[in-house]
Amino acid sequence: QEAYVQHQLNHPNIVKVHDVIDVGQSIGIVMEYVEGPTLEAWLKANPGVKSEAEVMMLMAPVISAMAYSHRREVVHRDLKPANILMKPLPGGAFRRR
């Protein structure tokens, strides 16, 4: 059910679900590949207190994606750093997915 709902979402910071495959008792999800670390891994690799500007840079894309989802009455019930993917951008920065 979650995969079918996510398939309906179209936002630059939400991983795209391309297809849901239902074969007998098994379901497979074909999702966009996102190269890069999770926010959890990035935070472990970059320890220490983050400035307000860094926190806003990290979380603004997440907040945007969540606001988009909530407007469509979709709530992510397992939002945590391990479930936030960071896509590398040119120059070494990351875009949250």
Side-chain angles (χ1 to χ4, degrees), residues 60-92:
V62 176
I63 292 166
S64 175
M66 293 300 96
Y68 170 87
S69 297
H70 290 179
R71 284 192 302 274
R72 283 147 186 83
E73 298 183 359
V74 175
V75 177
H76 192 306
R77 297 187 311 180
D78 194 23
L79 186 60
K80 59 187 176 186
N83 290 340
I84 297 172
L85 302 174
M86 299 177 67
K87 185 175 183 177
L89 294 173

Side-chain angles (χ1 to χ4, degrees), residues 5-18:
V5 170
Q6 187 171 344
H7 182 64
Q8 304 297 319
L9 301 177
N10 184 19
H11 187 276
N13 298 105
I14 297 176
V15 174
K16 289 176 182 40
V17 171
H18 296 295

Side-chain angles (χ1 to χ4, degrees), residues 49-68:
V49 175
K50 307 296 179 238
S51 69
E52 183 177 328
E54 284 179 295
V55 171
M56 288 305 298
M57 181 204 60
L58 290 168
M59 297 310 297
V62 176
I63 292 166
S64 175
M66 293 300 96
Y68 170 87

